[in-house]
Amino acid sequence: MITCQLRGRLKQERQNETIAAVGDHVIVTALNDGSGVIEEVMPRENAFFRMAPSARGEFKQVLLANPDLVCLVFACDHPAPSFRMLDRFLVITEKQQIPQLIVANKIDLVGRSTAESMFSIYTGLGYQVVYTSVKEAIGIERLHDLISGKITAFSGPSGVGKSSLLNQIQPGLGLVIGDLKETQARKGKHTTVVRELFELKSGGFVADMPGLRSLSLWDTEPEELDAYFPELCDLVSDCQFSNCSHQSEPGCAVKRAVENGTVSPERYESYIRLRAGDG
Ligand code: GDP
Ligand code: ZN
């Protein structure tokens, strides 16, 4: 581990975006005192970020650079899953082009077949869902395999079993999430930025991720949202009006699809809420 300063030139070049974030690949010059200077930040493949208002307009705050995967963890019960929150999160990760893995934990509380039907809308849309129980040691190896060799961000509401899952994968790893909780408690529900990557013995890294509430969709235009709902993006071109809001216009292909059951009413509800800026 080398503590580094940023070369002043980099600060001049990137004024509207985080210069170097966790997960960035950098070129460092090592100094005699054991510290270093970041000379160059390599272009990012993708980034998990949020737009923050700033004096100069917008600032792109990069929370995690080059993530390979985001694990969205929910419990089948205790607490019951918030699909609205899941939908919101899927939109954010679609927009930021980060592959998602949905983790449905605590399947011991409802049984596998109930768990599978709870998440069937999502598997139907092509999202990958892994079913786990820390209590009964189900699905842990599979989850471990799916994150090995990758930079994975873990997120999800508190109490769903994130720390328990990570501890089961590798003892001590769950502290990542425990830490995050503490930081959030101290700072209130505000910004928690990813500070560190934790190494998996099997290869790869795990990062904590800010709570979903602190992520805003405010920079998403209503029309843009269609593209982030896989079941809607191809439908909207069949609407009678090109500027259809899919709510009350005649000849709306989306409403028709909801009525005939090809689009789920819950997902439609999420869409309408997100469009109204109400996550
Ligand atoms: P986090 O807030 O998401 O990190 O959740 P924790 O890992 O702290 O877990 C919250 C509670 O759920 C704890 O009491 C765990 O023992 C319990 N828990 C975690 N995983 C499971 C599971 O698979 N089944 C059941 N029944 N309880 C679990
Ligand atoms: Zn429409």
Side-chain angles (χ1 to χ4, degrees), residues 75-89:
C76 294
D77 204 359
H78 294 288
S82 163
F83 293 114
R84 202 124 289 142
M85 191 188 275
L86 174 54
D87 290 339
R88 184 181 143 72
F89 212 87

Side-chain angles (χ1 to χ4, degrees), residues 15-26:
Q15 298 195 351
N16 296 320
E17 151 171 14
T18 305
I19 302 166
V22 169
D24 265 326
H25 298 281
V26 296

